Amino acid sequence: MSSAQHHHARATIQDTDDLVTFIQIWDVTDAAAQSAWLAIMHGNIDLLRAKPGFISMTLHSSVDGKRIAVYAQWASHAALHDAISDPAAIAAHDRMAQIGTPDGTLYTLDRAYTPTV
């Protein structure tokens, strides 16, 4: 994806009971480690995007360079499990785990708020 496309891409938080939301926080040592982690994710994201049930993923870098927050929605827990069980996805995850420590959990969306009119 070109930088122009990247800046215009928008993920939508879908407010439905049918989806599974996966939120994961990665702790890294510094901004260089954060950049290295992101480079691995950016280089391998299509492994997940091509999987059935992928809805969206957003990556959020902390300003201090010490964390990355991953927010992903999947059609089902089974779809997420199948995607992250792929050997190529496991290999990418293992490379990221050499840089940082993950803490993730599955969620359901309680409610999404938008500005009042």
Side-chain angles (χ1 to χ4, degrees), residues 8 14 16 19 24 29 35 49 55-56 66 70 74 80-81 93 99 110:
H8 296 291
Q14 296 190 28
T16 174
L19 301 181
Q24 187 174 53
T29 55
S35 293
R49 292 174 71 199
I55 303 297
S56 69
K66 294 184 178 181
V70 178
W74 290 84
L80 170 60
H81 182 267
H93 181 273
I99 297 170
D110 178 62

Side-chain angles (χ1 to χ4, degrees), residues 53-77:
F54 178 88
I55 303 297
S56 69
M57 179 183 289
T58 58
L59 303 174
H60 306 264
S61 303
S62 67
V63 174
D64 67 3
K66 294 184 178 181
R67 289 198 177 109
I68 301 105
V70 178
Y71 182 98
Q73 286 193 311
W74 290 84
S76 67
H77 182 264

Side-chain angles (χ1 to χ4, degrees), residues 1-11:
M1 175 182 293
S2 74
S3 61
Q5 290 171 317
H6 171 74
H7 292 293
H8 296 291
R10 299 282 184 250

Side-chain angles (χ1 to χ4, degrees), residues 73-116:
Q73 286 193 311
W74 290 84
S76 67
H77 182 264
L80 170 60
H81 182 267
D82 289 347
I84 63 174
S85 297
D86 180 280
I90 291 169
H93 181 273
D94 289 348
R95 288 194 310 275
M96 290 185 296
Q98 292 175 357
I99 297 170
T101 305
D103 180 18
T105 304
L106 292 175
Y107 294 85
T108 57
L109 179 64
D110 178 62
R111 187 165 301 153
Y113 291 95
T114 58
T116 59

Side-chain angles (χ1 to χ4, degrees), residues 25-62:
I25 305 297
W26 285 78
D27 289 314
V28 296
T29 55
D30 55 28
Q34 185 185 65
S35 293
W37 186 98
L38 287 166
I40 294 170
M41 177 59 89
H42 295 164
N44 290 280
I45 189 61
D46 286 341
L47 294 171
L48 298 176
R49 292 174 71 199
K51 297 292 184 186
F54 178 88
I55 303 297
S56 69
M57 179 183 289
T58 58
L59 303 174
H60 306 264
S61 303
S62 67

